Amino acid sequence: MKPLLRTTVLIAVAGGLVAAPAAAAHAVSAYPATPYGLTGKQLMAPGQYLAAAQQPRPANHHGAPPAARPDAPAQQQAPASGPQASGPKAARTHEAVEFFWYNCSHSARLESPLTNWAARHQSDVKLRRVPAIWVGSPDEAEQRAHARLFYTLDRLGEVDRQQAAVFRAVRDEHADLTTEQRATQWAAAHGMDAAKFRSAYHSPEVDRAVEQAPKLFSDYQVNELPTVVVDGNGRTSPARAGGVENVPAALDQLVADGNAGH
């Protein structure tokens, strides 16, 4: 993990957040609800990450990433009113938004458990991935390049097939995928058309998505990588959950809390 992110984790350790694995109920935290869409399938179809990144977002800005807040129960929605209030409750689809970085060891370790968790919840959860760009950090340039790679893969419909492979290349093989030439060579070696990859790499859609990513990082008040936010309200992360292996259980709790308040 890079210095800044490692420092974040060390601070969490010093604060007692990463002691023995905590119960899932203590691994979540409530933040102000935001009106993000809660429909869709388990994973977005090709190109939908780009479309989602360009949707209007709340006007408020949070500035620099804040200090971690104490854990608290997820905020519940107000009960329905009117004629439908007494009828059967409609099945609710939740949105889980993961902020990750290809060169973050914890993000790499969470990739497989998170994908498996989303597969188990494909009927009631839509998983959306957002490449983190932490403005002002010493890793910002690398994060921007990795965000461009991610959105290029999305434009080509290759995210689901290549996400784990990119993590392996960056974390295990120490591949530098921060330039167009190196990213294109890697893509071609993994079965993608080099010309199509180059075209997508500098497409207006990818440009806009990369420019939007830092605002998403700020709007969601992310202060640790990886972080997963459910319904724009509750969140968890390795530090909050007591380890990467406990994140899926914490997400289950967040989804259950959301259902209870529906």
Side-chain angles (χ1 to χ4, degrees):
M1 187 180 297
K2 295 293 183 175
L4 180 58
L5 300 179
R6 182 165 53 248
T7 300
T8 304
V9 175
L10 290 175
I11 292 174
V13 173
L17 293 177
V18 193
H26 299 291
V28 300
S29 177
Y31 280 76
T34 48
Y36 302 138
L38 300 176
T39 60
K41 298 181 180 179
Q42 168 209 350
L43 296 177
M44 287 192 170
Q48 287 190 304
Y49 290 99
L50 293 171
Q54 296 164 31
Q55 292 176 356
R57 293 289 164 173
N60 59 305
H61 297 274
H62 302 289
R69 301 185 182 187
D71 291 347
Q75 177 177 326
Q76 296 185 350
Q77 294 185 349
S81 59
Q84 296 180 348
S86 59
K89 294 183 179 179
R92 182 181 185 186
T93 301
H94 303 269
E95 181 185 61
V97 182
E98 180 210 16
F99 287 85
F100 72 95
W101 177 29
Y102 285 132
N103 203 15
C104 169
S105 62
H106 287 165
S107 294
R109 289 175 55 199
L110 183 61
E111 170 59 25
S112 180
L114 183 62
T115 299
N116 293 337
W117 175 85
R120 289 193 289 106
H121 284 274
Q122 57 185 330
S123 64
D124 62 340
V125 176
K126 175 188 66 177
L127 174 63
R128 179 154 70 97
R129 304 179 191 277
V130 177
I133 299 179
W134 199 321
V135 175
S137 78
D139 304 306
E140 180 181 351
E142 184 179 4
Q143 290 172 348
R144 284 185 179 275
H146 285 170
R148 181 170 294 278
L149 171 58
F150 171 81
Y151 285 121
T152 298
L153 293 175
D154 174 52
R155 183 158 175 77
L156 296 173
E158 293 282 351
V159 168
D160 292 350
R161 190 166 72 92
Q162 303 292 353
Q163 185 78 343
V166 180
F167 273 116
R168 285 195 300 271
V170 174
R171 291 296 311 169
D172 300 336
E173 302 166 11
H174 307 292
D176 182 355
L177 302 181
T178 61
T179 67
E180 178 186 359
Q181 179 180 359
R182 289 168 178 166
T184 302
Q185 290 173 344
W186 181 90
H190 284 72
M192 286 171 270
D193 183 277
K196 291 181 179 179
F197 185 90
R198 291 193 187 94
S199 177
Y201 196 83
H202 288 297
S203 66
E205 294 81 4
V206 170
D207 286 345
R208 285 194 294 269
V210 173
E211 288 305 308
Q212 181 73 2
K215 184 176 184 298
L216 294 176
F217 189 93
S218 175
D219 284 345
Y220 278 88
Q221 299 183 326
V222 179
N223 51 46
E224 180 191 353
L225 294 177
T227 286
V228 186
V229 182
V230 176
D231 297 338
N233 182 27
R235 67 186 54 212
T236 191
S237 64
R240 291 180 183 274
V244 171
E245 65 279 2
N246 296 324
V247 169
L251 290 171
D252 284 338
Q253 183 65 51
L254 285 169
V255 171
D257 289 344
N259 288 334
H262 180 46

